[in-house]
Amino acid sequence: MKCPFCGSIHDQVLDSRPIEHTSAVRRRRECSNCKKRYTTFERPEEVTIMVVKSDGRREPFDRKKIWTGIDRACKKRSISVETIDKIVNEVENDIMGEYVMEIPSNTIGDKILEKLWDVDLVAYVRFASVYRKFGDIDTFMQELKKLKKEHMKRNSKK
Ligand SMILES: [Zn+2]
């Protein structure tokens, strides 16, 4: 396994557990070089989940892509690597649990947005703006307004 932080291929497996109802295994690893921890998700090659993109093309599910997207949205926010890792794990877990062969890419995007919502609103908006590709500033402002309203509603419930 290649460390996502420093690229070293030397690591130590700390924990290994099968995912319910699937043939996949989650492994917690520690990089022997930079000592950072990360999680890998391993499943037999032949059951790779395919992501169906909005234009109908399919590509194999790629955990790294999700990582990169979230990481970019969280840039300069006080969000730890562990939090990002946790979001990616949860999203991946959901996907593996719900879908057997393929999943629409916007379902993945929605799941990520759901998690980011609870973590950081700025990261949420950033991710949403990339992922939903707001065509113009009006749609973006609408989304922001909606967010604000929902946020206030949630806070008043607490
Ligand atoms: Zn490393």
Side-chain angles (χ1 to χ4, degrees), residues 7-139:
S8 164
I9 51 163
H10 302 286
D11 68 74
Q12 190 191 346
V13 175
L14 304 173
D15 182 46
S16 194
R17 61 180 73 162
I19 311 296
E20 252 181 275
H21 311 303
T22 70
S23 47
V25 182
R26 173 186 299 295
R27 294 206 164 91
R28 195 76 186 134
R29 295 168 181 270
E30 187 184 87
C31 175
S32 311
N33 179 40
C34 69
K35 302 290 174 204
K36 279 187 180 147
R37 292 182 176 184
Y38 59 98
T39 307
T40 53
F41 202 98
E42 292 154 50
R43 45 180 12 234
E45 194 67 44
E46 70 269 23
V47 281
T48 299
I49 287 193
M50 297 304 281
V51 177
V52 185
K53 308 213 283 188
S54 50
D55 61 5
R57 276 186 296 148
R58 285 168 166 74
E59 58 178 39
F61 175 79
D62 185 357
R63 177 191 165 87
K64 231 186 287 162
K65 266 196 182 158
I66 297 186
W67 236 107
T68 313
I70 298 174
D71 188 44
R72 205 174 288 150
C74 293
K75 203 155 255 172
K76 294 201 179 133
R77 306 295 300 166
S78 50
I79 298 164
S80 65
V81 164
E82 284 74 24
T83 304
I84 299 177
D85 199 45
K86 194 173 152 262
I87 296 174
V88 178
N89 286 345
E90 286 176 2
V91 168
E92 200 168 38
N93 240 352
D94 285 359
I95 293 169
M96 301 300 168
E98 287 169 30
Y99 297 85
V100 189
M101 293 308 286
E102 52 182 40
I103 182 169
S105 62
N106 54 6
T107 306
I108 299 179
D110 287 342
K111 282 178 190 297
I112 295 172
L113 282 176
E114 225 171 82
K115 314 278 180 198
L116 280 179
W117 174 270
D118 295 323
V119 173
D120 188 89
L121 270 188
V122 172
Y124 174 97
V125 172
R126 280 192 195 149
F127 189 86
S129 70
V130 173
Y131 151 69
R132 290 202 174 133
K133 290 199 185 74
F134 300 122
D136 53 78
I137 192 76
D138 288 341
T139 14

